[in-house]
Amino acid sequence: MPDVEFEANGGQGTGYLAEPEGEGPGVIVIHEWWGLDDSMRKMVDRFAGEGFVALSPDLYEGETTEQPDEAEQKLMALNMDEAVKQMRGGVKRVLESEKSNGRVGAVGFCAGGGLAVWAAAEDPDISAAVTYYYVMPHGKPDFSKVNGPVLGHFGTEDEFIPPDAARELEQEMNSAGIETTFEFYEGGGHAFANDHDRLGTYNEEYAEQAWRKTVDFLKQNLG
């Protein structure tokens, strides 16, 4: 399915949408700092194949990069108010789908992993969130506003968010009243589940394990 447009709090958002054959839960898929690239579009398609109405909001407005320095610049320049509007608009668009069962979750990778939790704190329609190697340079949301459980995936050799930092985050989220479960993958690096392998850390075995846990978690919590 081609890119779609949707309303975003008085503005206009765009994203990539894929729908299942029958009715199913929804999920917004928040892209890495590279932008909404082909790798993330494949991820959206994969969720649709598992029975989800899946949409990835384009937070960079059509721009992508494969250069880490440029990706970091784009992430740091991201306007959080606008990003929240885009994510909320994406959630609304998913719920408006004729295939939607009326429930929606959020999944994100790297910076998108942080943004997925941020979206859950800002949008009460999000009933579950999955964060892959949570990174969030723009501060933290109010975790007490997250309306549902959170699953996290982290490699023990992640240079961006080391295990101690991840466990501290897990404890902080649990203390805020979120049912939080973080899974740790021994020897896994940052972005271990992303097959574009731009950081040279892709691990097919761990990626598949995390995928199955993610799908099972979302289906269990979204019906």
Side-chain angles (χ1 to χ4, degrees):
M1 184 172 288
D3 288 3
V4 294
E5 294 185 348
F6 48 85
E7 292 183 7
N9 284 37
Q12 200 74 13
T14 61
Y16 180 69
L17 174 72
E19 295 178 312
E21 292 185 4
E23 182 182 280
V27 63
I28 58 166
V29 183
I30 314 301
H31 58 69
E32 299 172 283
W33 66 352
W34 314 110
L36 179 51
D37 57 14
D38 290 343
S39 173
M40 203 52 51
R41 292 169 188 269
K42 285 195 301 181
M43 190 69 71
V44 171
D45 289 338
R46 194 175 183 192
F47 272 111
E50 293 280 358
F52 294 87
V53 179
L55 185 149
S56 185
D58 188 351
L59 303 182
Y60 289 172
E61 298 181 342
E63 295 185 2
T64 61
T65 181
E66 296 183 7
Q67 302 304 318
D69 289 347
E70 187 177 359
E72 183 176 11
Q73 290 173 7
K74 288 183 179 299
L75 177 60
M76 295 306 295
L78 190 67
N79 182 304
M80 284 304 300
D81 289 339
E82 288 300 316
V84 168
K85 289 179 182 179
Q86 295 272 337
M87 293 187 293
R88 290 185 70 117
V91 167
K92 187 172 183 290
R93 176 62 180 83
V94 165
L95 291 173
E96 288 172 349
S97 168
E98 293 181 356
K99 300 290 185 70
S100 169
N101 72 351
R103 294 175 64 80
V104 63
V107 178
F109 301 81
C110 181
L115 286 168
V117 178
W118 197 298
E122 294 283 347
D123 193 333
D125 283 330
I126 295 175
S127 301
V130 182
T131 177
Y132 281 75
Y133 15 90
Y134 180 112
V135 173
M136 194 65 258
H138 294 277
K140 295 177 181 177
D142 183 348
F143 290 138
S144 69
K145 293 183 178 179
V146 174
N147 180 35
V150 173
L151 173 65
H153 302 293
F154 297 85
T156 62
E157 299 298 322
D158 191 325
E159 296 179 358
F160 289 85
I161 179 164
D164 287 348
R167 291 188 179 95
E168 184 177 327
L169 177 65
E170 181 182 26
Q171 183 175 0
E172 181 179 356
M173 293 171 70
N174 271 313
S175 297
I178 307 172
E179 181 186 331
T180 310
T181 304
F182 282 2
E183 301 281 353
F184 292 88
Y185 300 79
E186 188 63 37
H190 192 71
F192 68 81
N194 295 86
D195 63 4
H196 55 63
D197 202 24
R198 294 190 186 115
L199 302 182
T201 54
Y202 176 60
N203 184 306
E204 184 176 4
E205 179 183 355
Y206 286 169
E208 188 59 30
Q209 289 177 15
W211 173 256
R212 292 296 357 143
K213 290 175 182 176
T214 294
V215 169
D216 290 346
F217 171 82
L218 290 173
K219 288 186 174 181
Q220 177 182 346
N221 288 287
L222 302 175

